[in-house]
Amino acid sequence: GEDVEQSLFLSVREGDSSVINCTYTDSSSTYLYWYKQEPGAGLQLLTYIFSNMDMKQDQRLTVLLNKKDKHLSLRIADTQTGDSAIYFCAEIPGGTSYGKLTFGQGTILTVHP
Amino acid sequence: GAVVSQHPSRVICKSGTSVKIECRSLDFQATTMFWYRQFPKQSLMLMATSNEGSKATYEQGVEKDKFLINHASLTLSTLTVTSAHPEDSSFYICSAQGDGANVLTFGAGSRLTVL
């Protein structure tokens, strides 16, 4: 079955870059997503990348996709304390109807002043 | 942008009672909505796909008689946890297709605590 894995914790200093990594198993995934969840809140879509892309940049966020290794990363430049949250990567597995996302376990990002 | 509203955001109920959670798409129509469950410090697990005007499609292992889903209009889906027990305590999140065909918008979630 589909499996999405992330490292559980990341701690960085304010102003540094954060890199959150994710691996997935389904090579036929169409879209891959990054969501942010603040404590007690729902999920906020940060960015997404189509499977035929290698990179996508959106302001402080850079997504890199290595389809060969099935590896996805999210880089946050100039990390701020407000970026502290849980970050989920998610995929739509191939052959799955749109909207049935498979999520990773989430990476808890802690930003220290 | 697309907004999905969930209500209530928090609910506490006694064991054996039923609780209804609403999920509304505020500025768009959603023929399909999705219900997820999130345990503390864990990921989201898809429970069911809610289809407007038809029966919901449940994921394996999810009891359809326990978690009743109704999608009576293009902007509203409801999840009713029937005869709730403490093990049903969880964070329930809905989502709906937003602007564009490849983006899901999530609600803020509903935290259910069953005493």
Side-chain angles (χ1 to χ4, degrees), chain B residues 1-17:
Chain B
V3 177
V4 172
S5 171
Q6 266 187 257
H7 178 80
S9 58
R10 294 177 184 271
V11 56
I12 301 173
C13 69
K14 291 183 178 179
S15 187
T17 61

mmCIF file of all heavy atoms in Angstrom, chain B residues 1-17:
data_model
loop_
_atom_site.group_PDB
_atom_site.id
_atom_site.type_symbol
_atom_site.label_atom_id
_atom_site.label_comp_id
_atom_site.label_asym_id
_atom_site.label_seq_id
_atom_site.Cartn_x
_atom_site.Cartn_y
_atom_site.Cartn_z
ATOM 1 N N GLY B 1 -10.231 33.328 -1.423
ATOM 2 C CA GLY B 1 -9.973 31.914 -1.638
ATOM 3 C C GLY B 1 -11.070 31.052 -1.040
ATOM 4 O O GLY B 1 -11.958 31.535 -0.351
ATOM 5 N N ALA B 2 -10.968 29.755 -1.296
ATOM 6 C CA ALA B 2 -11.956 28.821 -0.795
ATOM 7 C C ALA B 2 -11.885 28.705 0.718
ATOM 8 O O ALA B 2 -10.792 28.656 1.283
ATOM 9 C CB ALA B 2 -11.730 27.458 -1.434
ATOM 10 N N VAL B 3 -13.033 28.673 1.362
ATOM 11 C CA VAL B 3 -13.093 28.554 2.814
ATOM 12 C C VAL B 3 -14.029 27.417 3.188
ATOM 13 O O VAL B 3 -15.133 27.307 2.663
ATOM 14 C CB VAL B 3 -13.591 29.860 3.468
ATOM 15 C CG1 VAL B 3 -13.705 29.691 4.982
ATOM 16 C CG2 VAL B 3 -12.655 31.014 3.141
ATOM 17 N N VAL B 4 -13.562 26.587 4.106
ATOM 18 C CA VAL B 4 -14.372 25.501 4.638
ATOM 19 C C VAL B 4 -14.542 25.731 6.133
ATOM 20 O O VAL B 4 -13.565 25.918 6.855
ATOM 21 C CB VAL B 4 -13.717 24.140 4.375
ATOM 22 C CG1 VAL B 4 -14.472 23.035 5.094
ATOM 23 C CG2 VAL B 4 -13.666 23.863 2.872
ATOM 24 N N SER B 5 -15.771 25.718 6.565
ATOM 25 C CA SER B 5 -16.080 25.982 7.968
ATOM 26 C C SER B 5 -16.565 24.717 8.641
ATOM 27 O O SER B 5 -17.402 23.997 8.090
ATOM 28 C CB SER B 5 -17.158 27.067 8.047
ATOM 29 O OG SER B 5 -17.628 27.213 9.371
ATOM 30 N N GLN B 6 -16.053 24.451 9.825
ATOM 31 C CA GLN B 6 -16.516 23.315 10.612
ATOM 32 C C GLN B 6 -17.135 23.813 11.906
ATOM 33 O O GLN B 6 -16.659 24.766 12.524
ATOM 34 C CB GLN B 6 -15.345 22.393 10.968
ATOM 35 C CG GLN B 6 -15.131 21.256 10.007
ATOM 36 C CD GLN B 6 -14.085 20.284 10.458
ATOM 37 O OE1 GLN B 6 -12.968 20.297 9.952
ATOM 38 N NE2 GLN B 6 -14.441 19.428 11.405
ATOM 39 N N HIS B 7 -18.181 23.101 12.322
ATOM 40 C CA HIS B 7 -18.847 23.479 13.560
ATOM 41 C C HIS B 7 -19.421 22.241 14.237
ATOM 42 O O HIS B 7 -20.003 21.396 13.545
ATOM 43 C CB HIS B 7 -19.996 24.465 13.257
ATOM 44 C CG HIS B 7 -20.753 24.869 14.463
ATOM 45 N ND1 HIS B 7 -20.325 25.835 15.343
ATOM 46 C CD2 HIS B 7 -21.916 24.388 14.983
ATOM 47 C CE1 HIS B 7 -21.186 25.957 16.322
ATOM 48 N NE2 HIS B 7 -22.167 25.100 16.130
ATOM 49 N N PRO B 8 -19.260 22.066 15.532
ATOM 50 C CA PRO B 8 -18.561 22.967 16.441
ATOM 51 C C PRO B 8 -17.047 22.737 16.392
ATOM 52 O O PRO B 8 -16.594 21.709 15.904
ATOM 53 C CB PRO B 8 -19.121 22.565 17.811
ATOM 54 C CG PRO B 8 -19.424 21.111 17.644
ATOM 55 C CD PRO B 8 -19.878 20.934 16.221
ATOM 56 N N SER B 9 -16.290 23.669 16.920
ATOM 57 C CA SER B 9 -14.839 23.485 16.956
ATOM 58 C C SER B 9 -14.444 22.575 18.116
ATOM 59 O O SER B 9 -13.428 21.882 18.051
ATOM 60 C CB SER B 9 -14.139 24.836 17.072
ATOM 61 O OG SER B 9 -14.583 25.521 18.233
ATOM 62 N N ARG B 10 -15.249 22.621 19.166
ATOM 63 C CA ARG B 10 -15.006 21.731 20.300
ATOM 64 C C ARG B 10 -16.347 21.255 20.827
ATOM 65 O O ARG B 10 -17.307 22.030 20.903
ATOM 66 C CB ARG B 10 -14.287 22.472 21.436
ATOM 67 C CG ARG B 10 -12.895 22.925 21.124
ATOM 68 C CD ARG B 10 -12.311 23.710 22.298
ATOM 69 N NE ARG B 10 -10.997 24.241 21.969
ATOM 70 C CZ ARG B 10 -9.865 23.579 22.167
ATOM 71 N NH1 ARG B 10 -9.890 22.377 22.684
ATOM 72 N NH2 ARG B 10 -8.722 24.128 21.851
ATOM 73 N N VAL B 11 -16.392 19.997 21.206
ATOM 74 C CA VAL B 11 -17.621 19.472 21.794
ATOM 75 C C VAL B 11 -17.246 18.403 22.807
ATOM 76 O O VAL B 11 -16.358 17.579 22.567
ATOM 77 C CB VAL B 11 -18.584 18.931 20.720
ATOM 78 C CG1 VAL B 11 -17.925 17.866 19.859
ATOM 79 C CG2 VAL B 11 -19.862 18.396 21.341
ATOM 80 N N ILE B 12 -17.924 18.476 23.943
ATOM 81 C CA ILE B 12 -17.762 17.483 25.002
ATOM 82 C C ILE B 12 -19.111 16.835 25.208
ATOM 83 O O ILE B 12 -20.123 17.540 25.347
ATOM 84 C CB ILE B 12 -17.272 18.128 26.306
ATOM 85 C CG1 ILE B 12 -15.924 18.833 26.085
ATOM 86 C CG2 ILE B 12 -17.148 17.082 27.402
ATOM 87 C CD1 ILE B 12 -15.458 19.643 27.276
ATOM 88 N N CYS B 13 -19.141 15.531 25.236
ATOM 89 C CA CYS B 13 -20.422 14.855 25.406
ATOM 90 C C CYS B 13 -20.255 13.656 26.328
ATOM 91 O O CYS B 13 -19.136 13.210 26.609
ATOM 92 C CB CYS B 13 -20.985 14.409 24.061
ATOM 93 S SG CYS B 13 -20.055 13.074 23.286
ATOM 94 N N LYS B 14 -21.381 13.164 26.795
ATOM 95 C CA LYS B 14 -21.373 11.992 27.659
ATOM 96 C C LYS B 14 -21.365 10.728 26.815
ATOM 97 O O LYS B 14 -21.898 10.705 25.691
ATOM 98 C CB LYS B 14 -22.593 11.994 28.569
ATOM 99 C CG LYS B 14 -22.570 13.092 29.621
ATOM 100 C CD LYS B 14 -23.787 12.976 30.527
ATOM 101 C CE LYS B 14 -23.763 14.039 31.618
ATOM 102 N NZ LYS B 14 -24.948 13.949 32.499
ATOM 103 N N SER B 15 -20.809 9.693 27.361
ATOM 104 C CA SER B 15 -20.771 8.415 26.675
ATOM 105 C C SER B 15 -22.196 7.946 26.366
ATOM 106 O O SER B 15 -23.098 8.057 27.204
ATOM 107 C CB SER B 15 -20.065 7.394 27.561
ATOM 108 O OG SER B 15 -19.863 6.179 26.886
ATOM 109 N N GLY B 16 -22.410 7.470 25.158
ATOM 110 C CA GLY B 16 -23.721 6.983 24.762
ATOM 111 C C GLY B 16 -24.540 7.977 23.970
ATOM 112 O O GLY B 16 -25.542 7.595 23.348
ATOM 113 N N THR B 17 -24.144 9.213 23.983
ATOM 114 C CA THR B 17 -24.881 10.223 23.213
ATOM 115 C C THR B 17 -24.321 10.316 21.804
ATOM 116 O O THR B 17 -23.261 9.763 21.502
ATOM 117 C CB THR B 17 -24.811 11.597 23.884
ATOM 118 O OG1 THR B 17 -23.432 12.014 23.963
ATOM 119 C CG2 THR B 17 -25.389 11.544 25.296
#
